[in-house]
Amino acid sequence: MTERRELFAALSRAVLDGDGAAAPRLAAQALDGGVSALDAVEQALVPAIREAGRLFEEGEYFLPELVTAAQAMKAAMG
């Protein structure tokens, strides 16, 4: 279970960092490890993009960071 949490944390971090290369790689790793796509979306991707939205609202992220986070999430969803 800890490995799964660490994988979800890494996937979330990739989205928040706008890392469009790591996000799909980590998503594929999760699926290959037996994680359901729904669990990956609900437990890693959605919380990450919500956090990016919160950071944008608070002025900690600006539009470029929000866009790159969304692009990384889109890459992971592919």
Side-chain angles (χ1 to χ4, degrees), residues 1 6 9 19 27 29 32 34 41-42 46 51 53-54 62 64 75-76 78:
M1 192 64 120
E6 289 173 2
D19 191 340
Q29 184 179 341
D32 291 344
V41 169
E42 288 181 342
V46 169
E51 178 66 6
R54 184 189 70 76
F62 296 98

Side-chain angles (χ1 to χ4, degrees), residues 46-72:
V46 169
I49 203 67
R50 283 187 178 153
E51 178 66 6
R54 184 189 70 76
L55 291 169
F56 177 74
E57 287 177 1
E58 291 184 1
E60 291 183 44
Y61 268 20
F62 296 98
L63 191 56
E65 289 88 3
L66 187 62
V67 169
T68 58
Q71 288 172 337

